[in-house]
């Protein structure tokens, strides 16, 4: 199945703005500038003199200004994600970003002055003002950045250079990736076809090895043709990060990500250690088992996600996928399903792949006053159903948390993956329960194990790769060969000796956009997967009242940290047993596959 049928829905962004040239958008830009100037005139240099209620009023006004910025930037970003090749859209998106950057420069003082408030005075203001206490969780997170903030003039320079600095390199990377095409020969017919990157990557899931190999070689060839640019982008962004981290006195390249994720470094270290220690019992064991099933001594790298039998993953229509996911959600919580239904009733999802469209999938929260949008590249496979369940989980989470307001609805990445991975697990369990055919059950279970390995093992390997790249870059610019060597080393460790990393695989690092967009983001996937596995085990053991507590967790958004949110379930991410429990779920699925092999 190809998911390019015209019947597949696309999103309608008019809930944000009617169009790039609309009067509403122009008015919001003008209002943003006026409000920012008025806010600076009213509050700059005066925060220390305000009462608790007055400071709360200032925060509320600042939140309103930021929400308008968010609406403008969300519209520009989503419009661009829909067509990265349209030069007019690209110019529009860049123009909006530059205008917001210019407007918001006068607001830099606000977080700096908040952080310079004396601890005693700040705590007293929180205690005396209920309105300020409402913003307490957000204010406390802002104040954690105090050791890393610079003088106002330096912050202004960094702010101004955002639009010509790292973000420009990210734009270059995205637009380059979007323009790539892959000419893949068809071994059966002797003809060739030209595919987008999403379509070429999807070919790695083909049942015929010759087609997978042809796709893998085409990917390698095109990536290698562009590797000089991708190497330059990677080097530049790593150095840019090192410079800013040094000025801000972050102790390690990943430290700023931990702070943004509101997670302690030792908790992440415990997760990474637990996963890496489990490589032999998880990925190594599974790929040895899969190689045996496929009658091979080793899997080639293009076999990693291969199905076992021709035609075993039959096409699933979009309408079928909707029913599968919503029924699974509804069996757990009717409220969860009702919120999810809105995304299908309204034009909030962009479904079909097409040239120029952003690759992968995401859920964009936009702002609380509007609603999230989902982007998919639906190809009709089981994993695409799981991707829908995943992104819909994000969307439902964002809708439920919206009542917290802009500042408190924003969930750190580690907890943001909770609803998405939980939605996947609900969907998988429902599909597994409905499958009685042994071969189909094995296929479904194998697909889930592969997805979980990609979410846990692969993402921790990515995180390790980033750590090594940033450490190596600190000693000088890296060549493509340097980066490829690190990539192969990390991939070999995580995948084990049952997978052969063939010539050409050394350049596959270049299409992992998380390395470019959000350095060290990737561990959040493993965090979320292991967290959900522990949560789901709790649900299966004690289902009574679980759904209500879970919905409260989602509705809390970013108003609480992971310790407070997990406490009602008796879970603690600081406990090493927490991670072992999460990994045990994955191990149990592999156990079942071994028993039925």
């Amino acid at each position: 199945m190809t998911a390019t049928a015209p019947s597949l829905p696309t999103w309608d962004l008019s809930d944000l703005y009617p169009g790039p040239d609309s009067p509403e958008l122009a008015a919001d830009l003008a209002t943003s500038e006026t409000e920012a100037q008025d806010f600076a005139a009213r509050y700059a240099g005066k925060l220390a003199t305000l009462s608790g209620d007055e400071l709360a009023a200032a925060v509320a006004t600042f939140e309103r200004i930021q929400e308008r910025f968010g609406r403008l930037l969300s519209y520009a970003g989503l419009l661009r994600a829909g067509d990265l090749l349209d030069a007019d859209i690209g110019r529009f998106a860049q123009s909006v970003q530059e205008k917001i950057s210019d407007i918001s420069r006068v607001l830099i003082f606000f977080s700096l002055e908040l952080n310079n408030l004396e601890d005693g005075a700040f705590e007293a203001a929180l205690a005396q003002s209920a309105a300020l206490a409402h913003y307490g969780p957000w204010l406390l997170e802002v104040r954690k950045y105090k050791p890393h903030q610079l003088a106002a003039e330096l912050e202004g320079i960094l702010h101004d250079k955002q639009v010509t600095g790292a973000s420009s390199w990210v734009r270059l990377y995205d637009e380059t990736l979007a323009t790539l095409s892959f000419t893949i020969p068809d071994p059966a017919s002797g003809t060739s076809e030209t595919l987008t990157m999403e379509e070429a990557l999807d070919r790695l899931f083909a049942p015929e090895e010759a087609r997978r190999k042809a796709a893998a070689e085409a990917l390698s060839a095109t990536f290698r043709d562009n590797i000089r640019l991708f190497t330059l982008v990677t080097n530049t962004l790593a150095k840019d990060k090192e410079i800013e981290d040094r000025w801000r006195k972050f102790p390690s390249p990943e430290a700023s990500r931990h702070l943004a994720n509101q997670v302690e470094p030792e908790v992440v270290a415990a997760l990474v250690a637990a996963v890496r220690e489990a490589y032999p019992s998880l990925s190594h064991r599974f790929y040895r088992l899969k190689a045996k099933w496929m009658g091979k001594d080793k899997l080639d790298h293009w076999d990693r996600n291969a199905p076992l039998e021709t035609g075993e993953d039959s096409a699933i229509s979009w309408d079928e996928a909707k029913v599968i996911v919503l029924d699974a959600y509804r069996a757990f919580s009717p409220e969860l399903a009702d919120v999810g239904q809105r995304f299908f009733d309204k034009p909030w999802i962009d479904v079909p792949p097409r040239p120029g469209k952003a690759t992968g999938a995401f859920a964009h929260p936009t702002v609380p006053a509007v609603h999230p949008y989902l982007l998919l590249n639906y190809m009709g496979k089981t994993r695409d159903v799981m991707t829908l369940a995943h992104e819909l989980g994000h969307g439902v989470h964002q809708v439920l948390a919206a009542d917290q307001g802009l500042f408190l609805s924003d969930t750190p990445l580690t907890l943001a993956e909770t609803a998405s991975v939980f939605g996947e697990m609900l969907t998988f369990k429902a599909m597994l329960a409905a499958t009685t055919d042994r071969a189909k059950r094995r296929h479904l279970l194998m697909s889930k194990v592969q997805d979980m390995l990609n979410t846990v093992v692969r993402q921790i390997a990515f995180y390790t790769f980033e750590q090594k790249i940033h450490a190596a870059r600190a000693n000088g610019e890296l060549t493509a060969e340097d980066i490829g060597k690190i990539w192969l080393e990390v991939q070999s460790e995580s995948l084990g000796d049952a997978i052969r990393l063939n010539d050409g695989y050394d350049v596959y690092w270049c299409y992992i956009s998380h390395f470019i967009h959000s350095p060290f983001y990737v561990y959040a996937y493993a965090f979320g997967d292991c967290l959900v596995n522990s949560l789901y085990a709790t649900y299966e053991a004690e289902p009574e009242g679980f759904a209500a507590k879970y919905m409260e967790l989602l509705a809390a958004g970013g108003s609480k940290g992971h310790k407070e949110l997990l406490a009602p379930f008796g879970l603690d991410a600081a406990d090493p047993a927490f991670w072992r429990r999460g990994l045990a779920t994955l191990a149990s699925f592999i156990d079942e596959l071994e028993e039925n092999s």
Side-chain angles (χ1 to χ4, degrees):
M1 170 182 178
T2 58
T4 54
S7 59
L8 293 179
T10 57
W11 57 29
D12 179 353
L13 302 180
S14 61
D15 286 348
L16 289 165
Y17 293 101
D21 299 323
S22 64
E24 293 89 341
L25 190 146
D28 269 1
L29 279 171
T31 300
S32 293
E33 184 165 16
T34 300
E35 287 191 344
Q37 294 288 347
D38 290 348
F39 184 84
R42 182 174 182 182
Y43 291 113
K46 302 170 186 174
L47 294 196
T49 67
L50 301 181
S51 68
D53 286 343
E54 289 170 335
L55 185 56
V59 173
T61 302
F62 185 70
E63 182 179 40
R64 186 175 67 249
I65 294 170
Q66 293 295 325
E67 179 152 359
R68 187 174 284 107
F69 288 167
R71 188 177 191 133
L72 289 159
L73 291 169
S74 293
Y75 178 71
L78 290 171
L79 196 66
R80 182 168 174 267
D83 191 347
L84 292 165
L85 302 182
D86 188 305
D88 290 335
I89 291 176
R91 283 193 294 271
F92 165 74
Q94 181 69 13
S95 175
V96 170
Q97 185 180 0
E98 289 179 6
K99 287 177 181 177
I100 296 300
S101 179
D102 290 343
I103 293 168
S104 60
R105 193 183 193 286
V106 299
L107 303 175
I108 293 173
F109 80 91
F110 193 61
S111 61
L112 299 181
E113 288 192 32
L114 280 175
N115 288 343
N116 287 332
L117 293 175
E118 293 293 334
D119 289 344
F122 173 72
E123 290 163 6
L126 279 179
Q128 68 148 222
S129 171
L132 188 64
H134 166 74
Y135 289 106
W138 177 78
L139 289 165
L140 291 171
E141 290 303 319
V142 170
R143 284 173 63 83
K144 286 180 182 178
Y145 283 87
K146 182 175 181 178
H148 308 293
Q149 70 183 26
L150 305 174
E153 188 174 68
L154 288 175
E155 292 287 0
I157 292 172
L158 288 176
H159 178 87
D160 286 349
K161 286 183 68 64
Q162 282 179 350
V163 295
T164 58
S167 66
S168 293
W169 289 96
V170 172
R171 179 184 176 186
L172 173 63
Y173 173 86
D174 285 345
E175 292 185 359
T176 302
L177 212 59
T179 63
L180 297 184
S181 60
F182 302 83
T183 301
I184 302 177
D186 184 346
S189 66
T191 60
S192 295
E193 55 186 326
T194 301
L195 303 181
T196 66
M197 191 175 77
E198 282 291 334
E199 292 168 332
L201 289 170
D202 183 70
R203 189 64 60 82
L204 296 178
F205 293 81
E208 304 87 3
E209 181 174 3
R211 299 184 80 213
R212 295 195 302 274
K213 181 180 179 182
E217 291 175 344
L219 286 160
S220 297
T222 300
F223 290 155
R224 196 172 298 285
D225 287 345
N226 293 272
I227 203 65
R228 183 178 179 182
L229 185 146
F230 292 134
T231 301
L232 176 60
V233 170
T234 299
N235 272 288
T236 302
L237 289 177
K239 185 61 179 178
D240 181 80
K241 188 178 193 312
E242 185 273 325
I243 292 169
E244 184 163 344
D245 283 349
R246 175 160 33 90
W247 276 88
R248 294 193 181 281
K249 297 181 171 60
F250 280 112
S252 67
E254 59 268 32
S256 60
R257 176 61 62 196
H258 300 335
L259 188 59
N261 281 350
Q262 301 173 27
V263 63
E264 301 78 9
E266 57 271 21
V267 171
V268 178
L271 164 65
V272 173
V275 174
R276 292 183 72 179
E277 288 169 7
Y279 284 171
S281 62
L282 298 178
S283 51
H284 298 187
R285 178 165 63 119
F286 173 76
Y287 292 125
R288 282 196 297 270
L289 182 63
K290 185 172 182 179
K292 185 179 79 170
W293 284 339
M294 296 183 71
K296 305 182 76 170
D297 60 331
K298 286 179 180 285
L299 299 172
D300 292 292
H301 73 258
W302 50 77
D303 297 325
R304 185 171 58 85
N305 290 313
L308 294 181
E309 292 97 17
T310 301
E312 67 179 8
D313 196 0
S314 56
I316 302 171
S317 73
W318 174 246
D319 288 337
E320 289 175 307
K322 288 191 294 186
V323 171
I324 290 169
V325 173
L326 287 176
D327 282 356
Y329 275 39
R330 185 165 286 106
F332 172 75
S333 164
E335 181 185 357
L336 195 72
D338 288 345
V339 176
Q341 182 70 52
R342 297 184 207 171
F343 288 81
F344 301 105
D345 293 342
K346 307 285 187 179
W348 295 356
I349 313 180
D350 196 300
V351 178
R354 57 181 178 269
K357 181 178 175 180
T359 60
F362 63 71
H364 192 302
T366 71
V367 292
V370 188
H371 56 76
Y373 284 94
L374 310 185
L375 179 142
L376 305 174
N377 280 278
Y378 190 81
M379 305 292 288
K381 304 291 180 60
T382 299
R383 70 179 184 281
D384 295 310
V385 178
M386 294 301 170
T387 299
L388 170 60
H390 181 103
E391 300 305 340
L392 188 65
H394 277 309
V396 169
H397 192 179
Q398 292 156 0
V399 169
L400 292 172
D403 287 344
Q404 297 286 347
L406 181 69
F407 288 163
L408 297 180
S409 65
D410 188 21
T411 308
L413 292 178
T414 41
L415 291 172
E417 293 301 328
T418 302
S420 55
V421 180
F422 198 88
E424 278 190 77
M425 184 63 80
L426 289 172
T427 303
F428 166 71
K429 288 284 189 175
M431 293 177 74
L432 192 65
T435 304
T436 55
D437 180 87
R438 181 176 175 179
K440 289 183 178 180
R441 181 180 175 88
R442 183 179 74 163
H443 167 64
L444 192 59
L445 197 58
M446 189 195 76
S447 296
K448 181 59 176 174
V449 168
Q450 289 187 158
D451 286 344
M452 293 177 77
L453 290 175
N454 287 336
T455 302
V456 178
V457 169
R458 186 166 166 82
Q459 301 303 325
I460 292 303
F462 285 172
Y463 179 70
T464 305
F465 171 75
E466 287 190 275
Q467 288 181 307
K468 290 178 179 290
I469 289 295
H470 283 263
R473 180 64 180 90
N475 298 318
E477 186 163 285
L478 304 176
T479 65
E481 291 73 21
D482 294 331
I483 299 173
K485 183 178 179 181
I486 294 171
W487 172 256
L488 292 176
E489 172 190 318
V490 170
Q491 290 297 300
S492 179
E493 178 198 19
S494 65
L495 297 174
D497 60 6
I499 290 189
R500 184 184 295 110
L501 303 179
N502 308 85
D503 290 344
Y505 190 69
D506 60 309
V507 296
Y508 270 55
W509 56 269
C510 71
Y511 83 91
I512 310 300
S513 59
H514 287 111
F515 300 155
I516 304 302
H517 292 164
S518 304
F520 301 102
Y521 173 104
V522 288
Y523 74 76
Y525 289 114
F527 192 109
D529 198 281
C530 290
L531 186 156
V532 164
N533 289 341
S534 293
L535 264 181
Y536 204 89
T538 301
Y539 165 56
E540 290 187 315
E542 300 177 46
E544 187 66 31
F546 183 95
K549 289 191 291 185
Y550 177 75
M551 297 300 284
E552 289 175 7
L553 179 151
L554 299 188
S559 66
K560 298 178 182 178
H562 65 83
K563 289 183 179 179
E564 192 176 357
L565 287 172
L566 294 178
F569 304 94
L571 299 173
D572 180 7
D575 182 356
F578 173 85
W579 301 115
R580 289 195 294 270
R581 185 180 186 184
L583 294 171
T585 299
L586 174 51
S588 70
F589 290 157
I590 301 175
D591 290 342
E592 183 177 342
L593 286 171
E594 279 188 329
E595 291 166 5
N596 293 284
S597 63

